Amino acid sequence: MTMDTRETIMAIARKMVQTRGYNGLSFRELAKEVGIKSASIHYHFPTKGDLGAALAKRYTEDGLSYLQGLRMESDDPAVWVRGYTEIFRMALVNDNRMCLCGIMAAEYDDLPPEVRKEVDGFTDLNVQWLADVLSVCQSQLDNEQRQRHALAIYAAVEGAQLIARGRGDITVYDRTIETYRVAGLLP
Amino acid sequence: MTMDTRETIMAIARKMVQTRGYNGLSFRELAKEVGIKSASIHYHFPTKGDLGAALAKRYTEDGLSYLQGLRMESDDPAVWVRGYTEIFRMALVNDNRMCLCGIMAAEYDDLPPEVRKEVDGFTDLNVQWLADVLSVCQSQLDNEQRQRHALAIYAAVEGAQLIARGRGDITVYDRTIETYRVAGLLP
DNA sequence: ACCTGAACACCGTTCAAGT
DNA sequence: ACCTGAACACCGTTCAAGT
């Protein structure tokens, strides 16, 4: 089982960005971990923006597969939502990392346009999936209300991860999610 | 009305960090805006960490004054909470900026210890103030439940700002906050 | 007391040159 | 096809030198 250089770069870079952000990603540091020179990174990804956009695109695709899988494995909306908050939880459990697009959202003003586009796409995917779930379990809501509620859930979960990551305490995340559930923000 | 150099540096740097983050802050760019050389910034703030910590400390102090003022001007918890969400709204209205400590929380792993300490202090202040408000309007909750609920509110509001800032759309923030209120997360 | 130019090791990027 | 060394303009930081 070998991995081509491009995939190795993406795998290592994704972890670095999830930890230190887009601005915190260094081509020289990345190259050292991959075992090539920093100039060689540019052969695979001409600019840092190209790499950032590729990372966010892949991250969104992987997220979509996971979320689609969730809906196939169960018929219970409560299980879907629990699976949803579990993805964000796992990032924290794995070396206190953040959602790739959550951390890059904070750097939005510094992002090249091609990266912004993919970060926006990740948000759209999350809101769309959550709105679909709400159409099953909160069918009394109209479409606009579902979109609004889905966006609120996404924002709240990203916020919970952001604060818990600063605290370095997974129980902060768990308690916050539980509070959202009790309040009725999460179905 | 003159302003000494140190205060000028802090005022301009605060805006820069609220827009581009701690990593995005450049001493050379900052110096150019202030009208001195970048080496001179180091006279007032020996390291970037010293500047970042001073900014977060001042930001927390200013936030505290504002929040204390809110509680004195009214007896209505609903007005207090509305005033609370309004601070975060104003940052967005002012050039789509973020909460200084919210944006730095995303860069937590890159922050020097002295900056982390002040960012943590900002979180503590927010949670404490919110818990105090809850002790007035949700007095049936015990202390631990209030702390937990206060943290959830803070996380959700930071998340709403993060997502709305990426969208560049203030109505996203307004709708998300309103959804929190309807769901019962906000008192 | 406050500022500066020059140097240092870093950064992303480019490009001619290697295999 | 893939990689590299060297150069460029950037970065935070240091420090001897200026007023």
Side-chain angles (χ1 to χ4, degrees), chain A residues 19-179:
Chain A
T19 305
R20 319 241 322 251
Y22 178 82
N23 274 326
L25 175 68
S26 154
F27 266 44
R28 282 173 166 86
E29 232 178 286
L30 172 58
K32 199 167 286 179
E33 292 247 11
V34 176
I36 56 179
K37 297 297 169 182
S38 85
S40 308
I41 305 284
H42 290 276
Y43 173 76
H44 300 278
F45 302 96
T47 68
K48 193 174 173 180
D50 292 326
L51 174 56
L55 291 175
K57 190 167 188 295
R58 176 71 63 83
Y59 195 76
T60 304
E61 289 164 359
D62 293 348
L64 181 59
S65 316
Y66 176 88
L67 293 175
Q68 284 176 338
L70 269 180
R71 293 213 42 178
M72 298 208 308
E73 285 165 19
S74 168
D75 283 336
D76 184 356
V79 172
W80 299 340
V81 174
R82 213 169 285 273
Y84 182 78
T85 58
E86 189 63 20
I87 327 175
F88 292 84
R89 187 181 198 276
M90 286 315 294
L92 292 172
V93 170
N94 289 334
D95 296 321
N96 207 25
R97 291 199 190 95
M98 275 194 69
C99 165
L100 184 85
C101 292
I103 199 167
M104 291 206 293
E107 306 175 280
Y108 204 80
D109 271 49
D110 272 341
L111 298 179
E114 64 272 24
V115 184
R116 287 185 189 186
K117 184 182 153 237
E118 301 300 334
V119 172
D120 292 342
F122 182 81
T123 304
D124 292 338
L125 161 69
N126 279 263
V127 173
Q128 193 49 57
W129 187 87
L130 287 165
D132 284 349
V133 167
L134 289 171
S135 73
V136 172
C137 62
Q138 306 245 22
S139 49
Q140 76 283 8
L141 301 178
D142 67 27
N143 187 57
E144 201 219 314
Q145 288 171 321
R146 281 198 298 266
Q147 291 287 327
R148 181 189 291 216
H149 200 129
L151 190 59
I153 292 174
Y154 175 64
V157 172
E158 285 283 5
Q161 193 190 46
L162 178 69
I163 303 313
R165 131 62 123 64
R167 291 310 214 201
D169 182 356
I170 190 68
T171 71
V172 164
Y173 179 78
D174 293 336
R175 282 196 299 257
T176 301
I177 296 297
E178 185 54 26
T179 303

Side-chain angles (χ1 to χ4, degrees), chain B residues 131-142:
Chain B
D132 284 349
V133 167
L134 290 170
S135 73
V136 172
C137 62
Q138 306 245 20
S139 50
Q140 78 282 9
L141 300 177
D142 67 26

Side-chain angles (χ1 to χ4, degrees), chain B residues 148-159:
Chain B
R148 179 189 294 216
H149 201 128
L151 190 60
I153 292 174
Y154 175 64
V157 171
E158 284 282 7

